[in-house]
Amino acid sequence: YSSVLSSDDGVSFTARGNLPYAVRGASVVVFGRQMVLLGGRDASDNVRSEVWASSDGSIWSQLGVLPEAREHR
């Protein structure tokens, strides 16, 4: 999945942007008013090791890479 959605009430959602690539099994945390995306698997089922951050869900910047490719289980 690559869509970034937000909601004020948990019922109605608004599209805000897209992740850098379609991903599943990634970890996402909020840190310092930014969403941080870590690892996961891409659409071709490759395990990814990048770390990305965005303050608005639309513009993403790569912060670095994990020491080893990971996916959340």
Side-chain angles (χ1 to χ4, degrees), residues 18-43:
N18 290 302
L19 297 172
Y21 49 87
V23 65
R24 63 183 170 80
S27 295
V28 178
V29 296
V30 175
F31 180 77
R33 301 189 71 151
Q34 292 192 66
M35 293 175 283
V36 181
L37 171 74
L38 303 108
R41 288 187 178 268
D42 63 20

mmCIF file of all heavy atoms in Angstrom, residues 18-43:
data_model
loop_
_atom_site.group_PDB
_atom_site.id
_atom_site.type_symbol
_atom_site.label_atom_id
_atom_site.label_comp_id
_atom_site.label_asym_id
_atom_site.label_seq_id
_atom_site.Cartn_x
_atom_site.Cartn_y
_atom_site.Cartn_z
ATOM 1 N N ASN A 18 1.462 9.990 -0.753
ATOM 2 C CA ASN A 18 1.868 8.607 -0.966
ATOM 3 C C ASN A 18 3.214 8.348 -0.318
ATOM 4 O O ASN A 18 4.056 9.245 -0.225
ATOM 5 C CB ASN A 18 1.973 8.288 -2.459
ATOM 6 C CG ASN A 18 0.623 8.257 -3.110
ATOM 7 O OD1 ASN A 18 -0.234 7.496 -2.716
ATOM 8 N ND2 ASN A 18 0.420 9.107 -4.099
ATOM 9 N N LEU A 19 3.407 7.116 0.114
ATOM 10 C CA LEU A 19 4.697 6.689 0.624
ATOM 11 C C LEU A 19 5.706 6.684 -0.521
ATOM 12 O O LEU A 19 5.321 6.699 -1.689
ATOM 13 C CB LEU A 19 4.576 5.280 1.218
ATOM 14 C CG LEU A 19 3.641 5.130 2.415
ATOM 15 C CD1 LEU A 19 3.477 3.656 2.769
ATOM 16 C CD2 LEU A 19 4.165 5.920 3.601
ATOM 17 N N PRO A 20 6.997 6.628 -0.224
ATOM 18 C CA PRO A 20 8.011 6.610 -1.279
ATOM 19 C C PRO A 20 7.874 5.408 -2.217
ATOM 20 O O PRO A 20 8.272 5.464 -3.366
ATOM 21 C CB PRO A 20 9.335 6.549 -0.522
ATOM 22 C CG PRO A 20 9.034 6.952 0.869
ATOM 23 C CD PRO A 20 7.592 6.666 1.105
ATOM 24 N N TYR A 21 7.305 4.296 -1.723
ATOM 25 C CA TYR A 21 7.054 3.099 -2.525
ATOM 26 C C TYR A 21 5.937 2.325 -1.843
ATOM 27 O O TYR A 21 5.694 2.488 -0.644
ATOM 28 C CB TYR A 21 8.320 2.228 -2.649
ATOM 29 C CG TYR A 21 9.017 1.939 -1.349
ATOM 30 C CD1 TYR A 21 8.638 0.856 -0.562
ATOM 31 C CD2 TYR A 21 10.038 2.751 -0.891
ATOM 32 C CE1 TYR A 21 9.259 0.600 0.648
ATOM 33 C CE2 TYR A 21 10.676 2.495 0.323
ATOM 34 C CZ TYR A 21 10.280 1.416 1.083
ATOM 35 O OH TYR A 21 10.902 1.175 2.277
ATOM 36 N N ALA A 22 5.226 1.496 -2.611
ATOM 37 C CA ALA A 22 4.188 0.658 -2.018
ATOM 38 C C ALA A 22 4.864 -0.295 -1.047
ATOM 39 O O ALA A 22 5.880 -0.908 -1.376
ATOM 40 C CB ALA A 22 3.443 -0.105 -3.102
ATOM 41 N N VAL A 23 4.321 -0.416 0.162
ATOM 42 C CA VAL A 23 4.990 -1.193 1.206
ATOM 43 C C VAL A 23 3.975 -1.921 2.073
ATOM 44 O O VAL A 23 2.848 -1.476 2.240
ATOM 45 C CB VAL A 23 5.888 -0.264 2.066
ATOM 46 C CG1 VAL A 23 5.066 0.741 2.829
ATOM 47 C CG2 VAL A 23 6.786 -1.052 2.997
ATOM 48 N N ARG A 24 4.421 -3.054 2.596
ATOM 49 C CA ARG A 24 3.645 -3.773 3.617
ATOM 50 C C ARG A 24 4.641 -4.297 4.633
ATOM 51 O O ARG A 24 5.826 -4.469 4.342
ATOM 52 C CB ARG A 24 2.827 -4.900 3.009
ATOM 53 C CG ARG A 24 3.641 -5.981 2.374
ATOM 54 C CD ARG A 24 2.743 -7.049 1.725
ATOM 55 N NE ARG A 24 3.525 -7.955 0.934
ATOM 56 C CZ ARG A 24 4.234 -8.978 1.418
ATOM 57 N NH1 ARG A 24 4.248 -9.204 2.700
ATOM 58 N NH2 ARG A 24 4.919 -9.755 0.618
ATOM 59 N N GLY A 25 4.184 -4.505 5.847
ATOM 60 C CA GLY A 25 5.050 -5.016 6.893
ATOM 61 C C GLY A 25 6.066 -4.008 7.416
ATOM 62 O O GLY A 25 7.032 -4.389 8.061
ATOM 63 N N ALA A 26 5.856 -2.740 7.135
ATOM 64 C CA ALA A 26 6.766 -1.700 7.626
ATOM 65 C C ALA A 26 6.351 -1.273 9.031
ATOM 66 O O ALA A 26 5.226 -1.511 9.456
ATOM 67 C CB ALA A 26 6.741 -0.491 6.698
ATOM 68 N N SER A 27 7.259 -0.649 9.725
ATOM 69 C CA SER A 27 6.939 -0.018 11.005
ATOM 70 C C SER A 27 6.832 1.479 10.758
ATOM 71 O O SER A 27 7.622 2.043 10.003
ATOM 72 C CB SER A 27 8.033 -0.282 12.030
ATOM 73 O OG SER A 27 8.104 -1.646 12.334
ATOM 74 N N VAL A 28 5.851 2.107 11.376
ATOM 75 C CA VAL A 28 5.683 3.556 11.271
ATOM 76 C C VAL A 28 5.533 4.102 12.682
ATOM 77 O O VAL A 28 4.738 3.591 13.471
ATOM 78 C CB VAL A 28 4.447 3.930 10.423
ATOM 79 C CG1 VAL A 28 4.275 5.432 10.366
ATOM 80 C CG2 VAL A 28 4.563 3.356 9.023
ATOM 81 N N VAL A 29 6.315 5.122 12.994
ATOM 82 C CA VAL A 29 6.237 5.778 14.293
ATOM 83 C C VAL A 29 6.133 7.283 14.066
ATOM 84 O O VAL A 29 6.474 7.785 12.996
ATOM 85 C CB VAL A 29 7.468 5.471 15.187
ATOM 86 C CG1 VAL A 29 7.538 3.988 15.513
ATOM 87 C CG2 VAL A 29 8.742 5.942 14.539
ATOM 88 N N VAL A 30 5.630 7.989 15.063
ATOM 89 C CA VAL A 30 5.628 9.448 15.030
ATOM 90 C C VAL A 30 6.711 9.902 15.995
ATOM 91 O O VAL A 30 6.735 9.498 17.162
ATOM 92 C CB VAL A 30 4.259 10.018 15.420
ATOM 93 C CG1 VAL A 30 4.321 11.535 15.490
ATOM 94 C CG2 VAL A 30 3.196 9.564 14.436
ATOM 95 N N PHE A 31 7.618 10.734 15.481
ATOM 96 C CA PHE A 31 8.736 11.211 16.279
ATOM 97 C C PHE A 31 9.038 12.644 15.874
ATOM 98 O O PHE A 31 9.246 12.927 14.692
ATOM 99 C CB PHE A 31 9.962 10.320 16.048
ATOM 100 C CG PHE A 31 11.165 10.740 16.827
ATOM 101 C CD1 PHE A 31 11.259 10.465 18.177
ATOM 102 C CD2 PHE A 31 12.196 11.422 16.218
ATOM 103 C CE1 PHE A 31 12.362 10.853 18.909
ATOM 104 C CE2 PHE A 31 13.313 11.813 16.931
ATOM 105 C CZ PHE A 31 13.400 11.525 18.278
ATOM 106 N N GLY A 32 9.032 13.551 16.833
ATOM 107 C CA GLY A 32 9.350 14.946 16.529
ATOM 108 C C GLY A 32 8.438 15.570 15.489
ATOM 109 O O GLY A 32 8.901 16.268 14.605
ATOM 110 N N ARG A 33 7.143 15.278 15.562
ATOM 111 C CA ARG A 33 6.140 15.811 14.626
ATOM 112 C C ARG A 33 6.323 15.313 13.200
ATOM 113 O O ARG A 33 5.898 15.942 12.242
ATOM 114 C CB ARG A 33 6.109 17.329 14.673
ATOM 115 C CG ARG A 33 5.785 17.859 16.071
ATOM 116 C CD ARG A 33 5.546 19.291 16.057
ATOM 117 N NE ARG A 33 4.255 19.488 15.395
ATOM 118 C CZ ARG A 33 3.440 20.473 15.619
ATOM 119 N NH1 ARG A 33 3.769 21.377 16.494
ATOM 120 N NH2 ARG A 33 2.311 20.576 14.986
ATOM 121 N N GLN A 34 6.989 14.168 13.054
ATOM 122 C CA GLN A 34 7.153 13.552 11.741
ATOM 123 C C GLN A 34 6.731 12.088 11.803
ATOM 124 O O GLN A 34 6.902 11.436 12.831
ATOM 125 C CB GLN A 34 8.614 13.599 11.289
ATOM 126 C CG GLN A 34 9.112 14.986 10.996
ATOM 127 C CD GLN A 34 10.443 14.908 10.278
ATOM 128 O OE1 GLN A 34 10.526 14.429 9.159
ATOM 129 N NE2 GLN A 34 11.482 15.365 10.946
ATOM 130 N N MET A 35 6.216 11.586 10.690
ATOM 131 C CA MET A 35 5.996 10.157 10.536
ATOM 132 C C MET A 35 7.306 9.564 10.044
ATOM 133 O O MET A 35 7.926 10.116 9.135
ATOM 134 C CB MET A 35 4.905 9.892 9.492
ATOM 135 C CG MET A 35 3.542 10.351 9.912
ATOM 136 S SD MET A 35 2.343 10.141 8.585
ATOM 137 C CE MET A 35 2.792 11.538 7.550
ATOM 138 N N VAL A 36 7.716 8.472 10.636
ATOM 139 C CA VAL A 36 8.953 7.804 10.239
ATOM 140 C C VAL A 36 8.601 6.377 9.817
ATOM 141 O O VAL A 36 7.989 5.629 10.578
ATOM 142 C CB VAL A 36 9.984 7.794 11.383
ATOM 143 C CG1 VAL A 36 11.272 7.113 10.941
ATOM 144 C CG2 VAL A 36 10.265 9.219 11.856
ATOM 145 N N LEU A 37 8.960 6.023 8.588
ATOM 146 C CA LEU A 37 8.703 4.713 7.994
ATOM 147 C C LEU A 37 9.999 3.918 8.005
ATOM 148 O O LEU A 37 11.027 4.402 7.522
ATOM 149 C CB LEU A 37 8.208 4.890 6.553
ATOM 150 C CG LEU A 37 8.091 3.649 5.694
ATOM 151 C CD1 LEU A 37 6.879 2.842 6.121
ATOM 152 C CD2 LEU A 37 7.997 4.027 4.228
ATOM 153 N N LEU A 38 9.942 2.701 8.542
ATOM 154 C CA LEU A 38 11.142 1.866 8.667
ATOM 155 C C LEU A 38 10.904 0.510 8.020
ATOM 156 O O LEU A 38 9.987 -0.216 8.411
ATOM 157 C CB LEU A 38 11.493 1.640 10.144
ATOM 158 C CG LEU A 38 11.704 2.903 10.959
ATOM 159 C CD1 LEU A 38 10.560 3.118 11.907
ATOM 160 C CD2 LEU A 38 13.015 2.814 11.693
ATOM 161 N N GLY A 39 11.738 0.168 7.047
ATOM 162 C CA GLY A 39 11.740 -1.172 6.462
ATOM 163 C C GLY A 39 10.457 -1.568 5.777
ATOM 164 O O GLY A 39 9.742 -0.743 5.222
ATOM 165 N N GLY A 40 10.151 -2.871 5.805
ATOM 166 C CA GLY A 40 8.973 -3.437 5.167
ATOM 167 C C GLY A 40 9.325 -4.199 3.900
ATOM 168 O O GLY A 40 10.494 -4.458 3.611
ATOM 169 N N ARG A 41 8.298 -4.556 3.151
ATOM 170 C CA ARG A 41 8.459 -5.237 1.867
ATOM 171 C C ARG A 41 7.801 -4.405 0.779
ATOM 172 O O ARG A 41 6.710 -3.889 0.970
ATOM 173 C CB ARG A 41 7.820 -6.623 1.881
ATOM 174 C CG ARG A 41 8.582 -7.624 2.696
ATOM 175 C CD ARG A 41 7.985 -9.022 2.520
ATOM 176 N NE ARG A 41 8.750 -9.987 3.276
ATOM 177 C CZ ARG A 41 9.775 -10.679 2.791
ATOM 178 N NH1 ARG A 41 10.134 -10.533 1.533
ATOM 179 N NH2 ARG A 41 10.418 -11.536 3.550
ATOM 180 N N ASP A 42 8.464 -4.313 -0.378
ATOM 181 C CA ASP A 42 7.902 -3.544 -1.487
ATOM 182 C C ASP A 42 6.962 -4.413 -2.325
ATOM 183 O O ASP A 42 6.717 -5.584 -1.991
ATOM 184 C CB ASP A 42 9.014 -2.909 -2.335
ATOM 185 C CG ASP A 42 9.920 -3.918 -3.016
ATOM 186 O OD1 ASP A 42 9.528 -5.098 -3.188
ATOM 187 O OD2 ASP A 42 11.035 -3.515 -3.403
ATOM 188 N N ALA A 43 6.429 -3.862 -3.401
ATOM 189 C CA ALA A 43 5.451 -4.559 -4.248
ATOM 190 C C ALA A 43 6.037 -5.808 -4.898
ATOM 191 O O ALA A 43 5.306 -6.727 -5.262
ATOM 192 C CB ALA A 43 4.909 -3.608 -5.308
#
